Amino acid sequence: MASIIGGIGTSHVPTIGLAYDRKRQNDPAWAPLFEGYEPVAAWLAERKPDVLLFFYNDHANSFFFDCYPTFAIGVAPEFEMADEGAGRRPLPDIAGHPGLARHVTDCLVNEEFDMATFQDRPLDHGCNSPLGLMWPHDPAWPGAILPIAINVLQYPLPTARRCFKLGQAVRRAVESYPQDLKVVVVGTGGLSHQIHGERTGFNDTDWDEEFLRLFVEAPEQLTAMTHADLIRRGGAESAEVIMWMAMRGALSEKIACVHQNQYLATTTNMAVAVYEQVEAGGPPPAPVKPQSNGQLAGIEDIPGTYAFDVEHSVKALRLNRFLWRHREPAFRELVTRDLEAAFEELRLNEEERDLVRRRDWLGLVQYGVSFFVLEKFARVQKMSNLQVYASMRGETLEAFLQTRRVPESA
């Protein structure tokens, strides 16, 4: 069974990554920061986690305000690092863990957390700024990442209590995953800072010390704080410590801080801390029973029915995108003029290309295509939905219409 073996809280200031890339580790202005991460890297090297589960926020690099999710979980097999306007950082791509991500997504949604899922969206400095300081990555990272993005940009934000409960649900999900995995939970953001308005440059290191103490000893006091409370004490952007609260919820009730460092150089009190879990006395808790998506239990017994789930979405992402892009006039023209060139543009594999060439409507659905992108391709092929329905049933259109209450409505 998978298990959570500890937690890390860390700032994600973009200048950390910039200083790292410019090799300023021994610069007197930056050495106190980088020295604070050395014990973190040593702790991870000793514990050897398989997965870092990151609670972070995206700074309008992969998500924008036309559709900005409150909670989103990355389910892709691999993640790139974002270009935030000055070029991509010199860090390799990092593996995801689609199996664990799929399981956690199922569990969270069934616990009534309304998770968005994402693929093909790069990770911005909310992840990659501290990640490079904690894990070796030349030529590759030693494990996988499971990113969970939390909205801390556009109000209303999730409450500190809601984030704490999200962490608790994540713990239950991880501990019910049947594969043996060691997971470290990371919460990013903060500490005190404000980077907009006349209050820009605000810090309160006394509050930061109090926050770090309460985080260990009395997290319930922090979960009761409103966003305005957090802003008043730590500055407007310090409200992002709600992501630390998600990490805290994923840990045991009692924790110990085994390393902590703070460094206030410019606008943000940059902090990093490592937390180990303190086991309660008495017999160990009973193992958590493995879960799956209970809402779909028995669907395999319903003939001719195929659930479009995260597993199929990951498998058929490029194929679904190929079909989805038929919304675009230029792409429709390309498909009509040179289908093979359109295949190349989307990097479809041979099995996917064959399904499209043969217009195998049922095979496409069985492979992992959502009908609601399939119908866009059908329009270009001059096929009505009714004709596609008939094809999937292995019938002529006329025979299918005879099964309808009002065949003449076609």
Side-chain angles (χ1 to χ4, degrees), residues 27-95:
D27 186 320
W30 281 99
L33 180 283
F34 287 107
E35 289 168 0
Y37 278 87
E38 291 173 1
V40 184
W43 184 82
L44 286 171
E46 178 186 352
R47 295 306 180 96
K48 294 181 173 58
D50 301 292
V51 178
L52 297 185
L53 192 154
F54 255 76
F55 293 109
Y56 79 109
N57 72 288
D58 177 82
H59 300 79
N61 288 303
S62 286
F63 297 98
F64 188 61
F65 306 121
D66 58 349
C67 187
Y68 201 88
T70 298
F71 298 126
I73 183 168
V75 298
E78 190 173 59
F79 296 93
E80 297 181 353
M81 304 301 165
D83 182 339
E84 303 188 24
R88 175 180 158 160
R89 291 190 60 203
L91 296 173
D93 296 349
I94 185 169

Side-chain angles (χ1 to χ4, degrees), residues 76-390:
E78 190 173 59
F79 296 93
E80 297 181 353
M81 304 301 165
D83 182 339
E84 303 188 24
R88 175 180 158 160
R89 291 190 60 203
L91 296 173
D93 296 349
I94 185 169
H97 197 295
L100 179 62
R102 182 169 66 247
H103 176 80
V104 170
T105 303
D106 281 347
C107 292
L108 292 178
V109 172
N110 278 286
E111 288 208 35
E112 301 181 356
F113 285 91
D114 299 319
M115 307 298 295
T117 59
F118 67 90
Q119 305 180 59
D120 274 10
R121 292 180 184 262
L123 304 175
D124 83 349
H125 69 264
C127 276
N128 69 50
S129 184
L131 182 62
L133 278 63
M134 300 191 300
W135 248 6
H137 46 271
D138 185 13
W141 304 93
I145 192 170
L146 200 174
I148 298 180
I150 297 177
N151 168 31
V152 298
L153 265 64
Q154 175 179 272
Y155 288 92
L157 314 184
T159 65
R161 178 172 285 113
R162 185 63 170 165
C163 290
F164 185 82
K165 290 180 178 179
L166 173 67
Q168 291 177 314
V170 164
R171 182 184 183 91
R172 290 189 290 271
V174 169
E175 291 182 340
S176 67
Y177 188 63
Q179 183 180 344
D180 287 332
L181 291 175
K182 293 187 291 184
V183 178
V184 167
V185 185
V186 183
T188 76
L191 294 180
S192 68
H193 67 299
Q194 181 155 331
I195 56 172
H196 79 266
E198 292 85 347
R199 204 184 183 209
T200 295
F202 175 85
N203 298 102
D204 186 338
T205 54
D206 290 339
W207 162 242
D208 293 335
E209 289 287 352
E210 184 179 354
F211 171 83
L212 292 169
R213 179 184 63 81
L214 292 172
F215 186 82
V216 173
E217 299 175 3
E220 66 280 357
Q221 292 188 37
L222 297 175
T223 64
M225 295 182 71
T226 66
H227 300 132
D229 292 334
L230 293 169
I231 290 167
R232 187 174 296 108
R233 295 300 305 272
E237 280 69 39
S238 80
E240 64 192 18
V241 295
I242 60 176
M243 296 181 289
W244 285 55
M245 299 312 301
M247 179 264 287
R248 182 66 178 90
L251 300 179
S252 60
E253 181 179 351
K254 295 185 181 300
I255 61 173
C257 179
V258 297
H259 169 69
Q260 183 174 296
N261 185 72
Q262 296 180 62
Y263 184 52
L264 176 54
T266 54
T267 56
T268 304
N269 188 12
M270 298 177 286
V272 64
V274 177
Y275 300 100
E276 293 184 347
Q277 302 177 107
V278 178
E279 300 297 333
V288 180
K289 183 180 179 181
Q291 302 177 25
S292 60
N293 187 351
Q295 293 292 320
L296 286 179
I299 192 173
E300 64 278 2
D301 300 324
I302 305 173
T305 302
Y306 309 94
F308 180 69
D309 57 12
V310 172
E311 182 176 10
H312 286 92
S313 181
V314 171
K315 172 188 176 185
L317 179 67
R318 289 193 295 268
L319 179 54
N320 275 298
R321 182 171 285 132
F322 169 86
L323 301 168
W324 179 62
R325 287 194 58 191
H326 283 68
R327 301 155 28 259
E328 305 168 14
F331 191 75
R332 292 197 297 268
E333 190 277 331
L334 174 62
V335 169
T336 303
R337 173 172 48 83
D338 191 343
L339 180 60
E340 299 301 317
F343 288 157
E344 285 297 322
E345 184 171 327
L346 273 295
R347 297 182 291 118
L348 300 192
N349 64 37
E350 187 53 41
E351 181 180 3
E352 293 166 340
R353 297 180 188 207
D354 182 62
L355 288 167
V356 174
R357 290 188 193 107
R358 293 188 291 106
R359 316 299 191 262
D360 185 349
W361 307 104
L362 178 58
L364 286 162
V365 168
Q366 292 171 330
Y367 183 82
V369 165
S370 165
F371 181 82
F372 299 101
V373 296
L374 185 68
E375 63 181 350
K376 296 168 178 43
F377 178 60
R379 295 295 84 75
V380 177
Q381 301 303 311
K382 311 301 183 186
M383 291 275 290
S384 70
N385 280 8
L386 290 169
Q387 288 172 302
V388 175
Y389 302 154

